[in-house]
Amino acid sequence: MSMINSLAASLDLRLLVVFDAVMRKASLTVAGDSLGMSQPLVSQSLARLRQYFGDPLFVRTSAGMSPTPRARELAPKIAAMIQLMQEALDCSTDFDPATSSRTFSFASTDFGVAYLVPKLLQHLEKHAPRIRVRAINAPRYGVDEMIEQGEVDIAVGSFAINRQPFFQRRLYYCDYVCLARREHPTIRGRLTRNAYLSAAHAMVAPLLAGYEALERFLLENIPAANFAVVVPNFLTAITTLPSSDALFTVSRHAGEHIAQLLGAQALELPVEIPGFTVRQFWHERFHRDPANRWFRDLIYVLLAGSGDLPVAGTNMVSDPSAPAV
C-alpha cells in the first residue's frame, strides 16, 4: 500500500462529516446538534482532524469557529466527497424520525415562523419526539447564502431565489387581510375603501421579501401622517393591536391565526393588493439526503395541506420539485 493510500485509510470518513458541519455552522454546538452529536464528541473529532492535517483548521473568534486558510482549501473537496457518499448510499440509507435526535433549521419571516412552528411541534411531539427545530429570522437579502453556507436546512417564504444549485417547491398562495381590535370605535366586521385609506395604520419597515406589493400600496395610498406606528417586525406590530385603533395589514394565514389568539377582527381588504406565493427552498447538495427530504416533505404537507403526514416507518416521496433557475 502506498503512503498516500495508507494516509487515506487511516482517516475515519465520519470525521469529514464533522469537519463539514463545523465549516457550515461555525459552531461546535450547532454542528453537533445538526449531526446528533454532543459538543465534547465534536471537539474530540476536531482534535483528531487537526492532528491528521497538521493544522488548527478552526480557531475560536467572536463570530464563532473561523476556518484557517487550510480549512478553506479543504472545504469544497470534502463537501464534494460527502455529496458523493450521500448519493452512493441514498438508495440504502433510511432516516427514522421516531429515533433521530437531529436538529433541523429553517429560515422564514417572523410571521412565517409563528404560523409554521405550532404545526411542526404538534406533529413532532407525537411522531418524532427527539427531533429539534431551530427557526431563524430570514433577512431581506441573502437567504440563498444562508442555505448555501449550511446555516439552515431550508428556507420557507416568498424569496427571489432563481438560480442553480437551488431547488424550490410551491407551498401555497396567500393574499392579505386587515386586522383591527374587536372594540374598534368605528369598524365593525366590515371595512370600506374610504375607511381603510383614511384610518391610522401600523406598518412594518422595512418589509421583507415577498411583501413588495403591500409596501408599495401603503406608501402610495396612505398619507404619511396616518402611520401611527412603524415597527421593525410583524410580531412587534401585533402587540399594538389590542390597545390601538390603528389597522394592521398582514398575510391571510398569519392574520387569521393572530386574530383568533387576540380576539381581533380579521377583515377582508376593500382594496386590491396582489398576494404572493410561498415556497420552500433547499440546496442541490441535500436534494437526495433522506433526512432533509423528510423534513421538507413534512413542511410541504403541513403548509400545502396535500398528502399524508410523513411518520416513522414510511418513505414519503417528495412532491415534484424544480431547480430554481
Side-chain angles (χ1 to χ4, degrees):
M1 178 181 292
S2 69
M3 180 178 293
I4 293 178
N5 288 337
S6 177
L7 286 171
S10 68
L11 179 62
D12 188 337
L13 292 179
R14 289 174 294 185
L15 297 179
L16 298 183
V17 177
V18 174
F19 173 96
D20 179 69
V22 175
M23 186 73 191
R24 291 185 290 107
K25 305 295 186 180
S27 164
L28 301 188
T29 301
V30 178
D33 287 343
S34 70
L35 298 174
M37 297 171 62
S38 66
Q39 193 271 342
L41 187 56
V42 175
S43 295
Q44 294 172 21
S45 300
L46 187 55
R48 293 176 59 189
L49 285 165
R50 285 167 169 159
Q51 183 178 14
Y52 182 86
F53 288 108
D55 187 89
L57 296 178
F58 299 94
V59 294
R60 195 177 302 278
T61 68
S62 59
M65 299 300 291
S66 179
T68 65
R70 176 62 170 151
R72 292 185 184 278
E73 177 188 353
L74 290 168
K77 301 173 184 178
I78 291 176
M81 291 175 60
I82 293 173
Q83 182 173 357
L84 288 173
M85 287 190 294
Q86 288 175 335
E87 292 177 354
L89 297 174
D90 184 45
C91 294
S92 59
T93 300
D94 293 324
F95 171 73
D96 186 359
T99 60
S100 175
S101 58
R102 176 165 172 168
T103 296
F104 291 97
S105 57
F106 72 95
S108 187
T109 64
D110 55 347
F111 256 18
V113 171
Y115 180 62
L116 174 56
V117 165
K119 297 175 181 292
L120 272 175
L121 292 181
Q122 184 178 15
H123 178 82
L124 295 178
E125 287 174 1
K126 182 177 181 180
H127 300 290
R130 297 176 60 190
I131 285 178
R132 299 294 177 262
V133 175
R134 180 169 174 255
I136 298 176
N137 194 38
R140 185 160 187 170
Y141 305 105
V143 176
D144 52 343
E145 295 177 359
M146 295 178 67
I147 307 172
E148 197 164 33
Q149 295 172 6
E151 295 181 44
V152 294
D153 293 292
I154 66 171
V156 177
S158 182
F159 306 118
I161 304 177
N162 299 307
R163 64 180 177 89
Q164 292 183 330
F166 293 93
F167 282 80
Q168 62 175 271
R169 178 164 51 184
R170 185 184 188 278
L171 296 175
Y172 60 87
Y173 176 83
C174 191
D175 57 358
Y176 297 98
V177 294
C178 182
L179 301 183
R181 69 185 181 101
R182 185 166 298 280
E183 298 80 14
H184 197 285
T186 60
I187 296 174
R188 292 284 191 276
R190 181 175 175 273
L191 189 60
T192 65
R193 177 182 176 87
N194 185 60
Y196 179 79
L197 295 178
S198 61
H201 288 258
M203 183 177 180
V204 174
L207 280 168
L208 295 176
Y211 289 81
E212 291 85 0
L214 172 61
E215 183 176 51
R216 185 166 51 250
F217 181 90
L218 292 176
L219 293 178
E220 292 178 354
N221 293 276
I222 305 297
N226 284 24
F227 291 112
V229 60
V230 179
V231 293
N233 54 60
F234 287 117
L235 293 185
T236 302
I238 67 171
T239 63
T240 69
L241 195 62
S243 58
S244 170
D245 292 336
L247 305 182
F248 183 38
T249 305
V250 67
S251 60
R252 180 178 297 274
H253 286 74
E256 292 178 345
H257 179 63
I258 294 299
Q260 289 182 350
L261 291 177
L262 298 182
Q265 302 179 71
L267 308 167
E268 294 296 326
L269 284 181
V271 295
E272 292 292 330
I273 303 178
F276 56 93
T277 299
V278 173
R279 296 179 172 86
Q280 60 176 328
F281 301 85
W282 64 95
H283 197 271
E284 179 185 37
R285 181 177 163 202
F286 298 103
H287 183 59
R288 298 179 183 274
D289 175 57
N292 187 285
R293 184 167 53 196
W294 175 85
F295 185 55
R296 63 182 189 254
D297 280 341
L298 175 59
I299 288 180
Y300 175 77
V301 174
L302 290 175
L303 294 187
S306 175
D308 298 321
L309 287 170
V311 297
T314 65
N315 292 317
M316 185 174 182
V317 179
S318 294
D319 183 69
S321 55
V325 296

